[in-house]
Amino acid sequence: MKAVLCDEYGTPDVLKLVDLPAPEMKPGHVRVQVRAAGVNFQDTLIIKGTYQFKPPMPFIPGGEAAGVVTEVADDVTGFAVGDHVLALTSWGSFCEEIVAAADRCVKFPSGMDFAEAAGFLTNFGTSYHALVHRANLLKGETLLVLGAAGGVGLAAVQIGKALGATVIAAASSDAKLKIARESGADHLINYAEGEYKETVKELTGGKGADVIYDAVGGDYFDQALRCINWNGRILVVGFASGRIPTAPVNLTLLKGCSIVGVFYGRFKQEEPEKSEQAITEIVDLYRQGKLKPHISRRMPLEQAREALNLFVNREAEGKIVLTAGA
């Protein structure tokens, strides 16, 4: 099978397209012919060796895949050959065939194609966990989403609207903000034009945002502390800007606000039953038409390096997927 291999840490340019034997079947697993694999910012960190998880070298990057079940282990129930599934793999998905743990696979709804499925669970799972479990976002509250045109950002915009919040989308260009508007954002801020904190205060009658979803970090987090409402919650989702910020904790005292960490991978490990229920809930929101992955690019497996470099260069919009097979 064709696979994208990482055998040294570095930029996406270190990756190689190789031919490998099909993976061996294991108890508790299903074999899946991959049709699409989701590309995420954390993939760039894993191949650099700077992510929380470090797979043993050499390894295949890619944390989520969608495809067709071709084999089921004898001890697995609930799946059959021919099922269309999405799988969370942490790594190992940038290839034509995977053997995935059955408890990390989900049958996806009819009407969802492979690319949408591969771009669904990581982004929407992360943002649902952030907004529902960590922030307890309430109907009528104001949600500010930083990096609103990225995969998790657009998911946060859509989930925020589904929960009844007023959503302010912030991004670095008008083109990106147009995508956020199409996903339901009520207000738009182009933070390339200057600091956004005063605009947030204007839009909220001087109060500030109740919840700030920050997957960007750096200077944008610094401003978030200055436009958060009393009893507000700042969600630390990631650091796409490249700088991990340091919080002046006196501001948390003055604002009465909380800085809340969001780590979807650890959540799935620590609270599997709650995680499975969340997946059921976001799939149901998809069926209701309230959630829809924005697939900006479908690129062949052979272009994995180019796809990952879009994240490195901060050019990624919505969800990027790699396609494989038929």
Side-chain angles (χ1 to χ4, degrees):
M1 68 169 186
K2 287 186 173 62
V4 176
L5 193 70
C6 180
D7 58 8
E8 62 177 307
Y9 289 129
T11 69
D13 296 327
V14 306
L15 299 178
K16 302 170 183 175
L17 185 69
V18 299
D19 286 309
L20 294 177
E24 294 184 4
M25 192 61 177
K26 302 175 185 178
H29 286 60
V30 297
R31 186 183 301 277
V32 179
Q33 179 188 7
V34 176
R35 297 290 183 83
V39 185
N40 297 289
F41 176 70
Q42 56 261 40
D43 297 323
T44 68
L45 303 180
I46 289 175
I47 64 174
K48 284 177 62 179
T50 58
Y51 195 59
Q52 290 91 333
F53 302 136
K54 290 184 173 66
M57 287 285 190
F59 67 94
I60 299 169
E64 56 184 338
V68 181
V69 174
T70 58
E71 184 181 358
V72 180
D74 293 338
D75 61 340
V76 170
T77 59
F79 293 98
V81 172
D83 283 345
H84 289 189
V85 299
L86 55 91
L88 290 173
T89 60
S90 297
W91 56 83
S93 288
F94 290 176
C95 57
E96 293 181 321
E97 187 172 279
I98 61 173
V99 170
D103 62 4
R104 303 199 72 190
C105 295
V106 180
K107 297 177 189 176
F108 57 83
S110 59
M112 180 182 282
D113 66 24
F114 290 110
E116 286 184 326
F120 186 71
L121 203 50
T122 294
N123 288 345
F124 285 95
T126 297
S127 294
Y128 191 86
H129 170 55
L131 296 175
V132 174
H133 303 138
R134 303 298 287 149
N136 188 30
L137 179 67
L138 301 175
K139 182 178 181 180
E141 288 192 312
T142 298
L143 167 67
L144 168 63
V145 181
L146 306 181
V152 292
L154 283 175
V157 169
Q158 294 183 24
I159 291 169
K161 290 303 297 179
L163 295 174
T166 297
V167 178
I168 304 171
S172 60
S173 72
D174 290 339
K176 290 181 177 180
L177 289 171
K178 181 176 182 292
I179 298 171
R181 171 73 82 187
E182 292 168 352
S183 286
D186 298 288
H187 305 287
L188 307 176
I189 297 176
N190 184 339
Y191 47 53
E193 297 175 351
E195 293 191 347
Y196 65 80
K197 60 184 181 181
E198 294 303 325
T199 305
V200 173
K201 290 179 181 178
E202 290 173 10
L203 291 171
T204 58
K207 294 180 178 180
D210 299 297
V211 175
I212 300 179
Y213 182 102
D214 180 16
V216 183
D219 296 343
Y220 303 100
F221 174 87
D222 299 341
Q223 293 179 60
L225 272 172
R226 289 165 172 79
C227 63
I228 189 74
N229 196 4
W230 177 256
N231 284 333
R233 291 84 77 199
I234 300 176
L235 296 167
V236 179
V237 183
F239 313 104
S241 70
R243 179 172 74 84
I244 298 175
T246 302
V249 294
N250 63 305
L251 288 180
T252 66
L253 182 153
L254 294 172
K255 298 278 189 173
C257 67
S258 302
I259 300 172
V260 185
V262 179
F263 187 3
Y264 184 51
R266 182 73 180 273
F267 163 67
K268 290 181 293 182
Q269 291 179 349
E270 298 288 345
E271 303 178 64
E273 292 183 1
K274 194 172 183 179
S275 174
E276 290 176 12
Q277 179 61 32
I279 290 170
T280 299
E281 290 167 3
I282 60 175
V283 169
D284 186 52
L285 288 171
Y286 174 88
R287 289 195 177 101
Q288 295 175 39
K290 295 181 178 180
L291 305 181
K292 178 77 170 176
H294 176 85
I295 310 300
S296 62
R297 301 195 190 208
R298 304 176 188 226
M299 306 171 70
L301 192 63
E302 292 80 0
Q303 293 182 11
R305 288 183 295 185
E306 291 88 340
L308 286 167
N309 273 321
L310 291 171
F311 287 90
V312 173
N313 298 326
R314 298 192 65 186
E315 297 172 350
E317 298 174 355
K319 189 69 178 186
I320 298 169
V321 299
L322 298 176
T323 57

